[in-house]
Amino acid sequence: MEHVPPPAEELARLDRELTELDARRAQLLTRRAWLLAALRPPAPAAAPGWNPSAWGAPPAGRPGAPAQPWGHVPKRPSAPRGVQNVLLTLGGLLLTVAAVAFTLVSWGSMGIGGRSAVLTALTAGTLTAPVLLVRRGLAATAEALTAVALALTLLDVYAVHAVAAPDTDGLGFTAVASAVLAALWTVYGLALGKLRLPLPAAVVLAQWPLLLWAWAAGAPALVVGWVLLATGVLDGTIALYGRGAGARVTACVGGSVMGFSALVVGLALSVTASGPLAAVAPGALLLAAAAAALAGAWRAPRGFARAGGVVGGLAAVAAVGGVPAAAVPDGWMVLPYLLCGLALTAVVRTRLPGSAAHGVLAASGAVVAGALVWAVPPVATVLLGPVTLLSDVWAGPPEGFRSALGSTLPWTELAAAPVVSALMAVLLGAAYRWWPTLVRIAGPVAVRRAPDTGGEPGTPQSGGAASHGVGAHGRAGSGALWSAGAGAAARRPSGAVLRGAAGAAAAALGWAALLLAGAVLDVPYGVAVGGGTVLVGALLVLAVRSAGSGRGASAAVPVTASVAAVSGAASAGLLSLASEGASYAVFGVLAVLFAGAAVRAGDAVPRAVFSVAAAVGATVLTGFAGRSLDLAPHEAAPLVLLVPALTVLLGARLRRDPVALPVELTGALGALVAVGAAASDGPSSALVLALCGVLAAGAAVRPERRRVAGCLAVVLFVVATWVRLAASEVSFPEAYTLPVTVPALAVGVLRRRGDPEASSWTAYGPGLAATLLPSLAVAWADTDWLRPLLLGVAALVVTLLGARHRLQALLLLGGAGLASVGLHELAPYVVQVAGALPRWLPPALAGLLLLGVGATYEQRLRDARRLKDALGRMR
């Protein structure tokens, strides 16, 4: 009894055998290349002479000589061949010009016999001469005369029509003549196989007979489409089975142009059809084009087969979907095309070659993507439309959802948008749920190979066993191999990523479908606001549960749900601004939802995002409270600081948790909003700044926040003092700042005695800044001499003390104050001197300064580094 191994074991065995075969084949190819190189006769030695190009190149055969790949042919001198080609080309052009001049100018002076004799002699001579030249090995000359013969045959056709048949229809005569010439040049090219021009010329001439005939007959557009398709099929046949690379390339280009033109004609007729019956005939044309493209995919190389699958799939969708699309209203036309595009996925169970099947699947994806792109503008309108409500907050609820959006989109023509999104959401959700089954169904396409006539030897062909997965065990073994391959594909990391992408797209499209449904149906304002808030809650639940379920290795679903929840929350919040009650309800619910999601989330990033969103919602609620109490912005600013105070307390509770920093930064942004709101009133601004200083000081109690928050608290307290003094119009700030400076400096001295390594900025910086900076600000506006003098003396003393005791804060603050006082005293004289100087002198002095600095740049750089090091050594 024959033992049949399990599918996984058999698959592993096949992989090992294939690897061994590839290694053996590489060894044999290497040995073959060595043998050919050994059997190749040595090149004759070059005669000695002047050869500058050979200088520095190692002689052939020596160890330093560069290795040449197998099959390399040394280049021959190109000058004689280039000269020959130039001469032959010029000769052919001159003969062609002479023939044209003779036909147009001297033709009328000859009788009918002379004309016939000249035409016959010239044409026969130019067609016969290449035959003799090819036999003698003069291929280049034969090609040149062939080009002349081609031009003469075209002139013969013109001459015959002008003299022998002047009354015939020009288009019809040209159609017949192009057909005859195409046949003539085909026979001529096949007879003289060594010439490269006749067959491509025949292919070019073959493009015109049917098209010109349809034009001459006044055929309708549908007939013209069939003519273009027939010409494209002929070109495709030549491209697959024709002789010569030139003819096949020319046929490929011509078939692409003709086939594309036929598809454009069929698609235009199908889209503009007046009804389903009128769309049947264009659909037949498109179906025929699809069949032709797929038929060519059986013999075409992989790249062309894939392109044929794409073209065939798109043409089939346009053909089949165009009939029902002509029967439905304009707003629903996209749905039949989408259904047909989804039906293309059935190609995974057909016998179509792998590359062509991949192309058909790509066409299906393109149709689906096009339908979804069509639904993007209304989704963007639903999300961003409520921004218009910011200009008139709490003006009253609008009549319906559409009026709240303020959009002019034709919603009746977008009726299918929510259906399209919902359909794709259901399909992608099913794919996410039953991913292993989907992989098993699509397994044959994953392991199938496309025929590739242009590949390397040994490539599996469409008729071989490897193409269809049939091994030693027949169809049963093939099915087992497919199942094993599908199972392995389902377990790969890429499979998990694709599955996650499907689930993420399903979540996003389902959310978009519900939003679009509300806009298309124009639901009442309350339903729209409540529905948007409920959707945010559902997305948060999905984000939290999918992140903790462990299903799959991709995080696409929770990330997409989180992004959609934040976007939906912003849209619902903006939509609620039309009504006061809706604003409180929506932002309160959103703050609670995001706070709950932050508690339930397991990862740090979602927790941080949800916590920040909850803090933003609470901050907005405090702003609403001030508006409801009819408070001015500067009066409501202290209320906004409630949320920053809560974030400071929450940060102290979370300590070093990764969520603490984002939450505290959000509170800091709320405090910045409060500072901006109070900026219009001096006393309120001073109060808000002082309260912010208190919050910063509270955060500075924690060791990890002490450095930043402590400095920020000092700055806020000092600025609050200045603002308060300015608001009270105090002209002698020293009366208020010196009582603060003296005890602050005393505390700094005690701090330095207890900790000599403490920074001078921490010990003396706040106290000195509290007096020096406000006094400097007042001194610049003081016209008397006493204040600048006393301030300058104080700054000089502080500077000297800093230099004596090597204290950085005293040195820099005192030096800055001294420089500021000195500049204040010298400013009037500087202005007078500047006015008296000629205008060219300042630029000249600046240029000299730059030249001096540039010339001594290295020395100045060393000086700057020494100064930096000296300051860095100070405390």
Side-chain angles (χ1 to χ4, degrees):
M1 182 174 180
E2 183 180 0
H3 171 67
V4 179
E9 181 180 350
E10 183 179 2
L11 178 61
R13 182 184 303 172
L14 289 176
D15 290 338
R16 288 195 299 271
E17 293 178 358
L18 289 174
T19 303
E20 294 174 358
L21 288 175
D22 290 340
R24 180 58 179 165
R25 183 172 183 271
Q27 294 175 358
L28 293 176
L29 287 176
T30 304
R31 181 63 179 173
R32 179 178 181 274
W34 185 87
L35 292 173
L36 288 173
L39 294 175
R40 188 182 301 116
W50 182 259
N51 187 13
S53 61
W55 293 358
R62 295 186 180 180
Q68 300 293 344
W70 176 78
H72 172 75
V73 179
K75 293 184 178 180
R76 298 178 181 178
S78 58
R81 179 67 63 183
V83 172
Q84 180 187 15
N85 291 335
V86 171
L87 293 176
L88 292 175
T89 303
L90 290 176
L93 289 176
L94 289 175
L95 287 176
T96 304
V97 171
V100 173
F102 171 78
T103 304
L104 297 177
V105 177
S106 302
W107 184 261
S109 61
M110 299 179 64
I112 186 62
R115 300 171 184 174
S116 301
V118 171
L119 282 174
T120 303
L122 286 176
T123 305
T126 53
L127 290 175
T128 306
V131 179
L132 302 176
L133 293 173
V134 168
R135 291 179 181 176
R136 294 180 178 272
L138 302 175
T141 308
E143 291 284 358
L145 289 180
T146 302
V148 176
L150 176 62
L152 286 176
T153 52
L154 296 177
L155 292 174
D156 291 343
V157 171
Y158 166 75
V160 169
H161 179 266
V163 175
D167 297 331
T168 58
D169 181 31
L171 291 177
F173 182 85
T174 306
V176 175
S178 58
V180 172
L181 289 177
L184 171 65
W185 282 101
T186 300
V187 175
Y188 189 76
L190 293 176
L192 297 177
K194 294 185 178 180
L195 295 179
R196 294 175 293 180
L197 181 60
L199 290 180
V203 173
V204 173
L205 291 170
Q207 308 299 311
W208 304 105
L210 292 177
L211 183 60
L212 293 176
W213 168 80
W215 191 359
L222 184 61
V223 176
V224 174
W226 282 104
V227 165
L228 292 170
L229 180 60
T231 306
V233 171
L234 175 62
D235 290 329
T237 305
I238 297 173
L240 291 175
Y241 302 99
R243 179 186 299 178
R248 297 176 71 175
V249 171
T250 305
C252 184
V253 174
S256 301
V257 174
M258 293 297 176
F260 179 76
S261 302
L263 289 175
V264 170
V265 172
L267 182 62
L269 294 176
S270 177
V271 172
T272 58
S274 58
L277 295 178
V280 172
L285 173 61
L286 293 171
L287 277 181
L294 294 178
W298 286 91
R299 287 280 302 174
R302 290 182 182 176
F304 289 96
R306 189 174 290 109
V310 173
V311 172
L314 294 177
V317 168
V320 179
V323 176
V328 299
D330 292 340
W332 294 89
M333 289 181 62
V334 70
L335 191 58
Y337 292 109
L338 175 62
L339 295 176
C340 293
L342 293 173
L344 290 180
T345 55
V347 74
V348 299
R349 305 305 298 177
T350 64
R351 306 300 302 170
L352 199 65
S355 295
H358 295 162
V360 174
L361 291 178
S364 174
V367 173
V368 173
L372 295 179
V373 169
W374 171 76
V376 166
V379 175
T381 300
V382 172
L383 290 177
L384 301 178
V387 175
T388 58
L389 297 176
L390 288 173
S391 60
D392 197 5
V393 179
W394 295 355
E399 297 179 358
F401 191 15
R402 294 183 193 173
S403 59
L405 299 178
S407 174
T408 58
L409 284 179
W411 292 103
T412 56
E413 298 180 5
L414 298 172
V419 179
V420 168
S421 300
L423 176 61
M424 290 308 305
V426 170
L427 293 177
L428 291 172
Y432 177 76
R433 176 63 179 83
W434 293 287
W435 182 257
T437 304
L438 178 64
V439 173
R440 285 197 298 271
I441 293 174
V445 173
V447 300
R448 194 184 309 161
R449 296 292 184 266
D452 190 355
T453 58
E456 296 180 358
T459 302
Q461 302 297 317
S462 61
S467 174
H468 302 294
V470 181
H473 303 288
R475 181 67 62 184
S478 172
L481 180 62
W482 287 346
S483 299
R491 292 188 296 269
R492 290 173 185 162
S494 60
V497 171
L498 292 175
R499 181 183 185 183
L509 290 174
W511 169 59
L514 293 175
L515 291 179
L516 289 174
V520 170
L521 298 176
D522 195 17
V523 298
Y525 172 75
V527 175
V529 174
T533 308
V534 171
L535 281 178
V536 173
L539 289 170
L540 290 175
V541 172
L542 177 62
V544 173
R545 296 190 61 182
S546 59
S549 63
R551 180 181 299 170
S554 176
V557 175
V559 170
T560 303
S562 301
V563 173
V566 173
S567 303
S571 179
L574 292 173
L575 188 64
S576 68
L577 295 180
S579 172
E580 182 177 0
S583 299
Y584 279 105
V586 169
F587 279 95
V589 172
L590 290 177
V592 173
L593 288 176
F594 279 106
V599 173
R600 299 288 297 176
D603 297 334
V605 174
R607 289 176 58 209
V609 172
F610 298 154
S611 301
V612 169
V616 170
T619 303
V620 175
L621 284 175
T622 57
F624 289 160
R627 185 181 179 88
S628 298
L629 295 174
D630 293 330
L631 298 178
H634 64 273
E635 296 173 341
L639 290 176
V640 181
L641 294 178
L642 291 176
V643 175
L646 293 177
T647 59
V648 171
L649 296 176
L650 184 60
R653 175 70 176 84
L654 296 174
R655 305 296 293 178
R656 297 186 181 275
D657 192 284
V659 180
L661 181 60
V663 170
E664 290 178 279
L665 290 178
T666 306
L669 290 177
L672 187 61
V673 172
V675 171
S680 59
D681 184 73
S684 299
S685 181
L687 175 62
V688 170
L689 288 171
L691 293 177
C692 291
V694 172
L695 296 179
V701 175
R702 298 162 52 194
E704 66 273 12
R705 299 284 185 265
R706 181 168 301 162
R707 182 179 182 86
V708 176
C711 296
L712 181 61
V714 171
V715 172
L716 288 173
F717 284 134
V718 172
V719 174
T721 303
W722 299 343
V723 172
R724 183 58 194 173
L725 292 177
S728 301
E729 298 182 354
V730 174
S731 58
F732 295 98
E734 293 81 5
Y736 299 91
T737 58
L738 283 177
V740 176
T741 297
V742 172
L745 292 178
V747 172
V749 171
L750 296 177
R751 170 71 185 277
R752 288 277 298 174
R753 286 182 178 178
D755 183 12
E757 298 297 326
S759 173
S760 61
W761 289 101
T762 304
Y764 306 119
L768 290 175
T771 296
L772 282 178
L773 297 179
S775 298
L776 285 174
V778 176
W780 271 89
D782 193 354
T783 58
D784 199 1
W785 59 272
L786 182 60
R787 185 190 300 276
L789 176 61
L790 296 177
L791 187 58
V793 171
L796 178 60
V797 172
V798 170
T799 304
L800 294 176
L801 288 176
R804 171 65 179 82
H805 297 284
R806 305 182 60 83
L807 298 177
Q808 190 180 97
L810 275 66
L811 180 63
L812 293 182
L813 287 176
L818 189 60
S820 179
V821 172
L823 183 61
H824 172 265
E825 295 301 316
L826 293 177
Y829 304 102
V830 172
V831 172
Q832 293 178 4
V833 172
L837 290 176
R839 295 185 179 273
W840 57 267
L841 188 57
L845 294 176
L848 291 174
L849 177 61
L850 292 177
L851 288 176
V853 173
T856 59
Y857 175 74
E858 295 295 335
Q859 181 63 35
R860 301 288 79 77
L861 190 60
R862 286 192 294 268
D863 294 341
R865 287 172 180 170
R866 283 197 294 268
L867 177 60
K868 177 184 175 182
D869 295 338
L871 289 176
R873 288 191 294 268
M874 294 182 178
R875 299 303 300 172

